[in-house]
């Protein structure tokens, strides 16, 4: 058997500058340099600031990753880089560095779709077999995919407006809880009564697997304003009940749409059925439990990769690069950075999705 490949991965599509070294399935190093403090004053990721930070930090991230992995550039078999989708300045920084390294070292170059990186992670962490169903739920994305191969994805549906993580973050902002909103809303919800406020379950009345979360946030805002008008402010219990009601609505919508996506997937009679959830929202206890229950009900293997490999990182890019490399895929100096790059080229384009930007 051939020795496992050693691959350097680079990721710079949003606000994390990341480099990783993979040998086979072993993550020898995974360095993630965040930029949260650079964007904190602006209420979102500022593309120009992100791009400059990536350009400054990428080579440091590579140096650190190589040192942690105990390998040199000469030991690498290939260089994999996120070539999109994402904020174009950041993606360009990564692609240019990867091209420079590949040319200077005479090593193969592989451009990777960032979403494919997320979608293939369950194969790195849990050796998941194709085809499996994937729910990607993060601050910027929400979609159901049947993953059939490293370049073969079917999109069953996704959000038509906000992503769930974005809705959690906005809910936290509306209720004066700290960012990121997911963990603080989940913590507050623990003491709350989910039945006190009944929030809408958007799009459940429509067939299919598309989701919507922006109406939920508006309903929460109205409820908060009504309470403030009525009582002059919010009690801690009100806040907990609002969080619990909101979280239950997100959970119910995700669970029902997952039930439908599972039915479509299982209709194809996969030999070893599997479902994976990834993205920051996968950390949510009640949401994760609802998915786990659904899988148990249908005899489907449930996988949730460790959070560090679910959120943006470069190990997933190196892994996707390794899969593409094994399939004979190579890029050259014509590799371009793509701000948009849908995984499923046949899926209908979405209206208004991914408002927060390119973070996936
Ligand atoms: O995957 P991720 O780190 O970054 C993106 O690519 O967006 O996801 C971050 C998102 C944030 O919106 C955050 O509020 C949400 O994931 N999140 C959660 C929880 N932990 C993080 N949402 C709900 N419950 C959580 N426990
Ligand atoms: Zn991502």
């Amino acid at each position: 058997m051939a020795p496992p490949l050693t691959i350097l991965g680079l990721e710079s599509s949003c606000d994390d500058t990341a480099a990783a070294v993979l040998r086979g399935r072993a993550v020898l190093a995974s360095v993630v340099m965040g930029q949260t403090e650079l964007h904190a004053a602006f209420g979102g990721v500022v593309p120009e600031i992100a791009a400059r930070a990536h350009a400054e930090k990428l080579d440091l991230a590579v140096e650190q990753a190589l040192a942690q992995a105990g390998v040199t550039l000469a030991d690498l078999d290939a260089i994999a880089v996120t070539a999109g989708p994402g904020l174009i300045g950041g993606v360009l920084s990564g692609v240019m560095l990867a091209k420079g390294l590949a040319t200077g070292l005479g090593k193969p170059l592989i451009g990777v779709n960032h979403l494919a990186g997320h979608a293939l992670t369950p194969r790195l962490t849990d050796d998941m077999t194709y085809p499996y169903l994937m729910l990607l739920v993060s601050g910027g994305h929400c979609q159901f995919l049947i993953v059939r191969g490293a370049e073969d994805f079917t999109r069953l549906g996704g959000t038509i407006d906000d992503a769930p993580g974005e809705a959690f973050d906005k809910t936290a902002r509306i209720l004066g809880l700290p960012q990121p909103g997911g963990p603080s809303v989940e913590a507050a919800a623990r003491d709350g009564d989910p039945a006190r406020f009944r929030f809408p379950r958007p799009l459940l009345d429509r067939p299919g697997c598309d989701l919507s979360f922006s109406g939920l946030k508006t309903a929460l805002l109205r409820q908060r304003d009504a309470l403030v008008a009525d009582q002059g402010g919010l009690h801690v219990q009100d806040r907990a009940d609002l969080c619990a009601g909101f979280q239950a609505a997100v959970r119910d919508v995700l669970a029902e749409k997952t039930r439908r996506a599972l039915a479509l997937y299982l209709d194809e009679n996969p030999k070893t059925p599997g479902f994976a959830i990834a993205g920051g929202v996968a950390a949510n206890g009640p949401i994760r439990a609802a998915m786990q229950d659904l899988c148990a009900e249908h005899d489907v293997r449930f996988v949730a990769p460790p959070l560090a490999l679910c959120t943006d990182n470069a190990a997933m890019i190196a892994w996707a690069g390794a899969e593409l490399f094994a399939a004979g895929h190579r890029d050259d100096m014509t590799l371009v950075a793509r701000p948009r790059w849908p995984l499923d080229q046949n899926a209908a384009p979405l209206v208004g999705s991914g408002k927060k930007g390119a973070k996936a």
Side-chain angles (χ1 to χ4, degrees):
M1 217 173 82
L5 296 174
T6 305
I7 307 223
L8 173 71
L10 301 176
E11 156 60 34
S12 54
S13 64
C14 190
D15 61 349
D16 290 304
T17 309
V21 180
L22 218 65
R23 179 167 290 153
R25 264 176 217 287
V27 181
L28 299 186
S30 178
V31 173
V32 180
M33 298 174 168
Q35 306 178 352
T36 313
E37 69 290 354
L38 291 180
H39 304 288
F42 304 98
V45 177
V46 184
E48 277 305 314
I49 295 177
R52 276 165 207 272
H54 287 307
E56 279 169 18
K57 293 269 182 65
L58 265 167
D59 51 351
L60 294 176
V62 170
E63 246 175 44
Q64 269 190 28
L66 292 172
Q68 276 179 27
V71 302
T72 66
L73 288 170
D75 298 322
L76 300 175
D77 291 303
I79 291 148
V81 62
T82 299
L87 299 173
I88 192 66
V91 180
L92 261 174
S93 305
V95 167
M96 296 310 284
L97 176 61
K99 282 184 178 177
L101 284 172
T103 316
L105 299 165
K107 308 273 184 186
L109 171 71
I110 301 160
V112 171
N113 182 310
H114 175 90
L115 296 167
H118 281 300
L120 298 174
T121 301
R123 290 176 53 76
L124 164 65
T125 57
D126 295 85
D127 203 7
M128 197 78 150
T129 41
Y130 294 130
Y132 54 91
L133 180 67
M134 175 95 196
L135 170 59
L136 185 58
V137 264
S138 72
H141 278 270
C142 179
Q143 53 182 315
F144 290 104
L145 294 165
I146 298 180
V147 185
R148 304 178 190 283
E151 291 183 279
D152 189 358
F153 304 91
T154 306
R155 190 179 180 286
L156 299 179
T159 183
I160 58 165
D161 42 54
D162 292 353
E166 196 176 358
F168 269 96
D169 294 340
K170 286 179 180 167
T171 294
R173 219 164 285 140
I174 290 169
L175 298 178
L177 290 165
Q179 297 292 322
S184 45
V185 169
E186 182 179 4
R190 272 187 211 119
D191 302 319
D193 170 9
R196 178 168 163 211
F197 303 108
R198 173 82 193 167
F199 289 113
R201 269 66 175 159
L203 296 194
L204 284 197
D205 52 337
R206 270 202 241 162
C209 300
D210 280 342
L211 308 105
S212 162
F213 294 98
S214 73
L216 197 49
K217 168 201 69 200
T218 312
L220 181 106
L221 185 62
R222 288 221 185 90
Q223 192 61 66
R224 181 206 66 179
D225 289 348
L227 285 168
V228 171
D230 201 31
Q231 323 170 149
L234 284 187
H235 300 295
V236 172
Q237 192 57 51
D238 297 330
R239 195 156 72 175
D241 294 343
L242 287 167
C243 286
F246 164 82
Q247 184 172 265
V250 175
R251 181 204 57 205
D252 288 354
V253 168
L254 283 173
E256 174 54 27
K257 297 290 172 161
T258 302
R259 181 184 293 281
R260 294 180 194 179
L262 268 174
L264 289 171
Y265 163 70
L266 291 172
D267 264 356
E268 297 182 8
N269 287 321
K271 268 206 203 82
T272 50
F275 170 82
I277 183 169
V281 181
N284 185 282
I287 291 174
R288 203 180 167 114
M291 305 293 143
Q292 245 163 333
D293 290 350
L294 272 174
C295 286
E297 202 181 297
H298 290 90
D299 251 335
V300 169
R301 180 181 177 206
F302 174 85
V303 161
L307 205 58
L309 292 175
C310 273
T311 54
D312 285 353
N313 69 89
M316 69 178 191
I317 303 302
W319 174 258
E323 290 225 23
L324 290 168
F325 187 90
H329 183 105
R330 304 286 183 275
D331 282 299
D332 57 24
M333 292 305 119
T334 60
L335 177 67
V336 287
R338 300 172 63 173
R340 297 199 175 274
W341 186 359
L343 272 182
D344 180 351
Q345 309 287 341
N346 299 319
L350 279 178
V351 184
S353 64
K355 276 188 203 152
K356 190 176 151 186
K359 193 157 184 174

PDB file of all heavy atoms in Angstrom, residues 86-108:
ATOM      1  N   GLY A  86     -16.567  32.570  -1.031  1.00  0.00           N
ATOM      2  CA  GLY A  86     -16.160  33.355   0.122  1.00  0.00           C
ATOM      3  C   GLY A  86     -15.912  34.800  -0.243  1.00  0.00           C
ATOM      4  O   GLY A  86     -16.184  35.228  -1.377  1.00  0.00           O
ATOM      5  N   LEU A  87     -15.401  35.540   0.730  1.00  0.00           N
ATOM      6  CA  LEU A  87     -15.066  36.947   0.496  1.00  0.00           C
ATOM      7  C   LEU A  87     -13.842  36.958  -0.413  1.00  0.00           C
ATOM      8  O   LEU A  87     -12.803  36.378  -0.071  1.00  0.00           O
ATOM      9  CB  LEU A  87     -14.774  37.647   1.825  1.00  0.00           C
ATOM     10  CG  LEU A  87     -15.962  37.659   2.798  1.00  0.00           C
ATOM     11  CD1 LEU A  87     -15.539  38.209   4.160  1.00  0.00           C
ATOM     12  CD2 LEU A  87     -17.128  38.444   2.234  1.00  0.00           C
ATOM     13  N   ILE A  88     -13.978  37.620  -1.542  1.00  0.00           N
ATOM     14  CA  ILE A  88     -13.015  37.420  -2.626  1.00  0.00           C
ATOM     15  C   ILE A  88     -11.574  37.789  -2.243  1.00  0.00           C
ATOM     16  O   ILE A  88     -10.627  37.102  -2.635  1.00  0.00           O
ATOM     17  CB  ILE A  88     -13.488  38.152  -3.916  1.00  0.00           C
ATOM     18  CG1 ILE A  88     -12.663  37.702  -5.119  1.00  0.00           C
ATOM     19  CG2 ILE A  88     -13.460  39.651  -3.759  1.00  0.00           C
ATOM     20  CD1 ILE A  88     -12.882  36.252  -5.480  1.00  0.00           C
ATOM     21  N   GLY A  89     -11.401  38.866  -1.454  1.00  0.00           N
ATOM     22  CA  GLY A  89     -10.039  39.276  -1.082  1.00  0.00           C
ATOM     23  C   GLY A  89      -9.335  38.202  -0.271  1.00  0.00           C
ATOM     24  O   GLY A  89      -8.149  37.910  -0.491  1.00  0.00           O
ATOM     25  N   GLY A  90     -10.061  37.598   0.643  1.00  0.00           N
ATOM     26  CA  GLY A  90      -9.485  36.543   1.482  1.00  0.00           C
ATOM     27  C   GLY A  90      -9.176  35.304   0.659  1.00  0.00           C
ATOM     28  O   GLY A  90      -8.099  34.707   0.778  1.00  0.00           O
ATOM     29  N   VAL A  91     -10.129  34.910  -0.183  1.00  0.00           N
ATOM     30  CA  VAL A  91      -9.911  33.710  -1.003  1.00  0.00           C
ATOM     31  C   VAL A  91      -8.688  33.928  -1.901  1.00  0.00           C
ATOM     32  O   VAL A  91      -7.835  33.045  -2.042  1.00  0.00           O
ATOM     33  CB  VAL A  91     -11.165  33.378  -1.855  1.00  0.00           C
ATOM     34  CG1 VAL A  91     -10.920  32.139  -2.692  1.00  0.00           C
ATOM     35  CG2 VAL A  91     -12.380  33.168  -0.968  1.00  0.00           C
ATOM     36  N   LEU A  92      -8.588  35.140  -2.473  1.00  0.00           N
ATOM     37  CA  LEU A  92      -7.435  35.458  -3.341  1.00  0.00           C
ATOM     38  C   LEU A  92      -6.115  35.320  -2.588  1.00  0.00           C
ATOM     39  O   LEU A  92      -5.142  34.780  -3.114  1.00  0.00           O
ATOM     40  CB  LEU A  92      -7.552  36.896  -3.835  1.00  0.00           C
ATOM     41  CG  LEU A  92      -8.109  37.105  -5.232  1.00  0.00           C
ATOM     42  CD1 LEU A  92      -8.292  38.589  -5.501  1.00  0.00           C
ATOM     43  CD2 LEU A  92      -7.184  36.479  -6.264  1.00  0.00           C
ATOM     44  N   SER A  93      -6.089  35.820  -1.337  1.00  0.00           N
ATOM     45  CA  SER A  93      -4.851  35.729  -0.545  1.00  0.00           C
ATOM     46  C   SER A  93      -4.405  34.275  -0.432  1.00  0.00           C
ATOM     47  O   SER A  93      -3.225  33.968  -0.598  1.00  0.00           O
ATOM     48  CB  SER A  93      -5.056  36.262   0.881  1.00  0.00           C
ATOM     49  OG  SER A  93      -5.558  37.546   0.860  1.00  0.00           O
ATOM     50  N   GLY A  94      -5.351  33.392  -0.137  1.00  0.00           N
ATOM     51  CA  GLY A  94      -5.015  31.968   0.013  1.00  0.00           C
ATOM     52  C   GLY A  94      -4.574  31.361  -1.296  1.00  0.00           C
ATOM     53  O   GLY A  94      -3.565  30.644  -1.365  1.00  0.00           O
ATOM     54  N   VAL A  95      -5.324  31.653  -2.353  1.00  0.00           N
ATOM     55  CA  VAL A  95      -5.010  31.051  -3.656  1.00  0.00           C
ATOM     56  C   VAL A  95      -3.628  31.523  -4.139  1.00  0.00           C
ATOM     57  O   VAL A  95      -2.835  30.720  -4.649  1.00  0.00           O
ATOM     58  CB  VAL A  95      -6.128  31.382  -4.686  1.00  0.00           C
ATOM     59  CG1 VAL A  95      -5.697  31.044  -6.101  1.00  0.00           C
ATOM     60  CG2 VAL A  95      -7.412  30.633  -4.327  1.00  0.00           C
ATOM     61  N   MET A  96      -3.317  32.801  -3.927  1.00  0.00           N
ATOM     62  CA  MET A  96      -2.005  33.311  -4.378  1.00  0.00           C
ATOM     63  C   MET A  96      -0.867  32.646  -3.603  1.00  0.00           C
ATOM     64  O   MET A  96       0.159  32.272  -4.178  1.00  0.00           O
ATOM     65  CB  MET A  96      -1.918  34.834  -4.210  1.00  0.00           C
ATOM     66  CG  MET A  96      -2.887  35.617  -5.058  1.00  0.00           C
ATOM     67  SD  MET A  96      -2.861  35.149  -6.781  1.00  0.00           S
ATOM     68  CE  MET A  96      -1.354  35.935  -7.288  1.00  0.00           C
ATOM     69  N   LEU A  97      -1.054  32.501  -2.297  1.00  0.00           N
ATOM     70  CA  LEU A  97       0.000  31.852  -1.507  1.00  0.00           C
ATOM     71  C   LEU A  97       0.174  30.396  -1.947  1.00  0.00           C
ATOM     72  O   LEU A  97       1.304  29.917  -2.125  1.00  0.00           O
ATOM     73  CB  LEU A  97      -0.329  31.911   0.002  1.00  0.00           C
ATOM     74  CG  LEU A  97       0.673  31.181   0.891  1.00  0.00           C
ATOM     75  CD1 LEU A  97       2.071  31.784   0.776  1.00  0.00           C
ATOM     76  CD2 LEU A  97       0.227  31.189   2.351  1.00  0.00           C
ATOM     77  N   ALA A  98      -0.950  29.719  -2.149  1.00  0.00           N
ATOM     78  CA  ALA A  98      -0.875  28.315  -2.557  1.00  0.00           C
ATOM     79  C   ALA A  98      -0.189  28.179  -3.914  1.00  0.00           C
ATOM     80  O   ALA A  98       0.632  27.272  -4.119  1.00  0.00           O
ATOM     81  CB  ALA A  98      -2.289  27.719  -2.602  1.00  0.00           C
ATOM     82  N   LYS A  99      -0.511  29.091  -4.831  1.00  0.00           N
ATOM     83  CA  LYS A  99       0.129  29.034  -6.157  1.00  0.00           C
ATOM     84  C   LYS A  99       1.635  29.257  -6.024  1.00  0.00           C
ATOM     85  O   LYS A  99       2.434  28.576  -6.672  1.00  0.00           O
ATOM     86  CB  LYS A  99      -0.449  30.113  -7.077  1.00  0.00           C
ATOM     87  CG  LYS A  99      -1.801  29.761  -7.657  1.00  0.00           C
ATOM     88  CD  LYS A  99      -2.224  30.863  -8.629  1.00  0.00           C
ATOM     89  CE  LYS A  99      -3.552  30.513  -9.264  1.00  0.00           C
ATOM     90  NZ  LYS A  99      -4.027  31.591 -10.146  1.00  0.00           N
ATOM     91  N   GLY A 100       2.009  30.221  -5.171  1.00  0.00           N
ATOM     92  CA  GLY A 100       3.431  30.499  -4.965  1.00  0.00           C
ATOM     93  C   GLY A 100       4.149  29.288  -4.403  1.00  0.00           C
ATOM     94  O   GLY A 100       5.219  28.892  -4.894  1.00  0.00           O
ATOM     95  N   LEU A 101       3.553  28.666  -3.399  1.00  0.00           N
ATOM     96  CA  LEU A 101       4.175  27.482  -2.783  1.00  0.00           C
ATOM     97  C   LEU A 101       4.272  26.340  -3.789  1.00  0.00           C
ATOM     98  O   LEU A 101       5.317  25.686  -3.919  1.00  0.00           O
ATOM     99  CB  LEU A 101       3.346  27.019  -1.570  1.00  0.00           C
ATOM    100  CG  LEU A 101       3.476  27.852  -0.294  1.00  0.00           C
ATOM    101  CD1 LEU A 101       2.460  27.395   0.746  1.00  0.00           C
ATOM    102  CD2 LEU A 101       4.892  27.734   0.281  1.00  0.00           C
ATOM    103  N   ALA A 102       3.164  26.106  -4.504  1.00  0.00           N
ATOM    104  CA  ALA A 102       3.150  24.978  -5.449  1.00  0.00           C
ATOM    105  C   ALA A 102       4.198  25.182  -6.548  1.00  0.00           C
ATOM    106  O   ALA A 102       4.925  24.243  -6.897  1.00  0.00           O
ATOM    107  CB  ALA A 102       1.748  24.830  -6.047  1.00  0.00           C
ATOM    108  N   THR A 103       4.295  26.396  -7.058  1.00  0.00           N
ATOM    109  CA  THR A 103       5.276  26.653  -8.123  1.00  0.00           C
ATOM    110  C   THR A 103       6.694  26.548  -7.579  1.00  0.00           C
ATOM    111  O   THR A 103       7.550  25.887  -8.157  1.00  0.00           O
ATOM    112  CB  THR A 103       5.102  28.084  -8.700  1.00  0.00           C
ATOM    113  OG1 THR A 103       3.729  28.305  -8.883  1.00  0.00           O
ATOM    114  CG2 THR A 103       5.841  28.260 -10.004  1.00  0.00           C
ATOM    115  N   GLY A 104       6.932  27.215  -6.435  1.00  0.00           N
ATOM    116  CA  GLY A 104       8.281  27.225  -5.861  1.00  0.00           C
ATOM    117  C   GLY A 104       8.762  25.831  -5.498  1.00  0.00           C
ATOM    118  O   GLY A 104       9.937  25.511  -5.661  1.00  0.00           O
ATOM    119  N   LEU A 105       7.834  24.999  -5.015  1.00  0.00           N
ATOM    120  CA  LEU A 105       8.224  23.662  -4.550  1.00  0.00           C
ATOM    121  C   LEU A 105       8.074  22.598  -5.634  1.00  0.00           C
ATOM    122  O   LEU A 105       8.497  21.461  -5.444  1.00  0.00           O
ATOM    123  CB  LEU A 105       7.352  23.251  -3.352  1.00  0.00           C
ATOM    124  CG  LEU A 105       7.442  24.145  -2.112  1.00  0.00           C
ATOM    125  CD1 LEU A 105       6.278  23.862  -1.167  1.00  0.00           C
ATOM    126  CD2 LEU A 105       8.770  23.897  -1.405  1.00  0.00           C
ATOM    127  N   GLY A 106       7.396  22.961  -6.719  1.00  0.00           N
ATOM    128  CA  GLY A 106       7.112  21.963  -7.753  1.00  0.00           C
ATOM    129  C   GLY A 106       6.146  20.897  -7.255  1.00  0.00           C
ATOM    130  O   GLY A 106       6.284  19.709  -7.560  1.00  0.00           O
ATOM    131  N   LYS A 107       5.161  21.315  -6.441  1.00  0.00           N
ATOM    132  CA  LYS A 107       4.181  20.350  -5.872  1.00  0.00           C
ATOM    133  C   LYS A 107       2.811  20.566  -6.505  1.00  0.00           C
ATOM    134  O   LYS A 107       2.484  21.694  -6.917  1.00  0.00           O
ATOM    135  CB  LYS A 107       4.024  20.575  -4.363  1.00  0.00           C
ATOM    136  CG  LYS A 107       5.321  20.586  -3.577  1.00  0.00           C
ATOM    137  CD  LYS A 107       5.726  19.204  -3.154  1.00  0.00           C
ATOM    138  CE  LYS A 107       6.979  19.276  -2.290  1.00  0.00           C
ATOM    139  NZ  LYS A 107       7.516  17.977  -1.966  1.00  0.00           N
ATOM    140  N   PRO A 108       1.973  19.528  -6.518  1.00  0.00           N
ATOM    141  CA  PRO A 108       0.623  19.684  -7.066  1.00  0.00           C
ATOM    142  C   PRO A 108      -0.217  20.667  -6.258  1.00  0.00           C
ATOM    143  O   PRO A 108      -0.086  20.758  -5.032  1.00  0.00           O
ATOM    144  CB  PRO A 108       0.019  18.277  -6.968  1.00  0.00           C
ATOM    145  CG  PRO A 108       1.154  17.357  -6.732  1.00  0.00           C
ATOM    146  CD  PRO A 108       2.260  18.146  -6.104  1.00  0.00           C
TER     147      PRO A 108
END
